[in-house]
Amino acid sequence: MRSVLNLISLLAVGLIMAAIIMAAPADTTRGAELMQFFDRFDFAAPGLDYRSVLAGLALGVVIALIARISWVDIARGTAGWIANQAHRLLLLGLAAILIGVIIYV
């Protein structure tokens, strides 16, 4: 799962880099050469949507962060905490049931 999420986040970063290259200014000599290279391709898009670029960047960062979480350790820790707090949770559940009976009767 982690490798799939890493691949998706890398694809998102690559897409963002491609969008930034497409938005390069054409007023300098280097930018003009770059734009001549991209004139070979037929891009019918009217321009770069900066909100989409920002959303893609945020999505890539979130996917990369989610991929770093060890979900197995979270499940083990939660199960261990519930096992350690079983008596308190039982008393809390019993109290909730008794309070519910008092309120609704």
Side-chain angles (χ1 to χ4, degrees):
M1 181 70 177
R2 182 175 292 178
S3 61
V4 172
L5 291 175
N6 282 336
L7 175 67
I8 291 171
S9 66
L10 285 175
L11 287 174
V13 169
L15 183 62
I16 291 168
M17 290 172 59
I20 290 172
I21 289 172
M22 289 300 298
D27 56 352
T28 63
T29 306
R30 178 157 242 196
E33 291 172 2
L34 185 65
M35 291 311 286
Q36 286 176 357
F37 172 74
F38 283 116
D39 283 340
R40 295 184 215 166
F41 305 105
D42 184 25
F43 293 111
L48 181 66
D49 185 13
Y50 292 105
R51 290 180 292 180
S52 297
V53 171
L54 184 61
L57 180 62
L59 183 64
V61 169
V62 167
I63 289 172
L65 290 175
I66 288 174
R68 299 187 79 187
I69 295 174
S70 176
W71 296 100
V72 174
D73 290 339
I74 290 175
R76 285 183 191 148
T78 303
W81 181 82
I82 289 173
N84 288 337
Q85 302 294 328
H87 185 68
R88 286 185 183 175
L89 292 173
L90 179 66
L91 290 176
L92 184 64
L94 185 60
I97 290 171
L98 293 176
I99 289 173
V101 167
I102 290 172
I103 289 175
Y104 290 114
V105 172

